[in-house]
């Protein structure tokens, strides 16, 4: 755990690329391979990132038991470089999300990423009550993840920012420009804004103009140098370099990703295999890439070296 206050944590996270590591599973029984996970965190820790989100969406939070989540977060805290903030997940119903928040504190995390409640749709006042209950239950900095059945309206987020001092961030999983513009107009630099759509690199250039200074990079798992180079090009507004990297890799990559639902995670683990850092298969309900798709991904990655 770092010594950041929630406000300091928010500023730190907004200053650079964010790492969302996969969670390693053994091929034979899909059990959590903690040793391999720790080794991978240490490998990725050699690169400069603003924060590490353990057991997040790319880390298959939805398939992990609460005990596995706590183990993964604790392992990340112990294996990440000193000073690197580690963010833990919280989700499902409000009572369960509070339990995840307490587990994150036990594991030494610096902050929380609050995922949508499980299954049910909810009105804005219900979403606000859900997020506020989690914020009140912990001293950690909290980031709300707006996506799927929990799309937070700008007014809702603004009220939460007023009521919850430890609400530090808003992660966008929708990509709708209008509400993002309205949110930034309401809250400005009070929050850190994080791009959270699958393969967030495709949205990074336009969202930067709306104050979204960082994003979750799944590509960082298996192409860390490329991911950091792309992020630098976006932040420096080197549009020609961004366009070239989009054309050479990111957009062809998304065409493989879009072939099946859930491939946004599966293709990352496939990339780990291709680059010599296997992390095991995905857990159901996800499925791994087909052999032909794995070959196509391998060719795409090898083309970066050509």
């Amino acid at each position: 755990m770092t010594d950041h206050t929630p406000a300091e944590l928010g500023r730190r996270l907004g200053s650079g690329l964010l790492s969302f590591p996969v969670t390693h599973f053994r091929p034979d029984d899909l059990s959590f391979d903690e040793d391999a996970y720790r080794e991978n965190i240490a490998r990725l820790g050699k690169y400069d990132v603003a924060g590490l989100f353990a057991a997040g969406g790319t880390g298959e939070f939805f398939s992990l038991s609460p005990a596995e989540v706590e183990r993964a977060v604790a392992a990340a805290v112990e294996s990440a470089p000193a000073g690197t903030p580690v963010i833990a997940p919280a989700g499902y119903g409000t009572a369960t999300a509070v339990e995840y928040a307490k587990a994150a504190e036990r594991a030494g995390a610096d902050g929380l990423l609050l995922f949508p409640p499980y299954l049910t749709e909810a009105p804005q006042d219900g979403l606000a009550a859900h997020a506020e209950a989690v914020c009140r239950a912990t001293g950690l900095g909290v980031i709300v993840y707006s996506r799927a059945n929990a799309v937070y309206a700008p007014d809702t987020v603004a009220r939460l920012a007023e009521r919850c001092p430890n609400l530090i961030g808003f992660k966008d999983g929708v990509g709708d420009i209008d509400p993002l513009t309205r949110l930034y107009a309401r809250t400005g630099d009070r929050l850190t804004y994080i791009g959270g759509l699958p393969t967030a690199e495709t949205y990074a250039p336009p969202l930067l103009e709306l104050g979204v200074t960082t994003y979750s990079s799944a590509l960082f798992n298996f192409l860390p140098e490329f991911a950091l180079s792309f992020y630098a090009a976006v932040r420096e507004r080197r549009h020609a370099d961004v366009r070239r990297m989009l054309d050479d890799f990111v957009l062809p990559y998304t065409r493989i990703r879009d072939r099946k639902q859930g491939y946004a995670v599966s293709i990352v683990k496939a990339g780990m295999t291709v680059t010599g850092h296997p992390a095991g298969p995905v857990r159901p309900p996800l499925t791994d890439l087909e052999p032909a798709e794995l070959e196509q991904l391998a060719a795409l990655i090898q083309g970066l070296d050509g």
Side-chain angles (χ1 to χ4, degrees), residues 39-92:
E39 290 174 5
N40 189 57
I41 296 296
R43 175 182 71 89
L44 294 177
K46 298 175 183 177
Y47 300 92
D48 185 21
V49 294
L52 186 157
F53 286 65
T58 305
E60 298 181 69
F61 169 60
F62 45 82
S63 78
L64 299 172
S65 70
E68 288 174 324
V69 170
E70 189 167 354
R71 281 179 62 198
V73 173
V77 169
E78 294 170 7
S79 304
T84 299
V86 174
I87 311 302
Y92 302 98

Side-chain angles (χ1 to χ4, degrees), residues 110-163:
D110 297 276
L112 288 174
L113 177 61
L114 180 58
F115 284 80
Y118 173 70
L119 186 62
T120 188
E121 293 78 16
Q124 289 297 306
D125 53 351
L127 290 175
H130 173 69
E132 186 171 351
V134 174
C135 287
R136 290 181 180 275
T138 180
L140 300 180
V142 177
I143 302 160
V144 294
Y145 194 178
S146 181
R147 64 173 292 177
N149 59 317
V151 177
Y152 291 79
D155 288 348
T156 302
V157 180
R159 287 196 299 271
L160 283 168
E162 292 173 356
R163 296 173 62 88

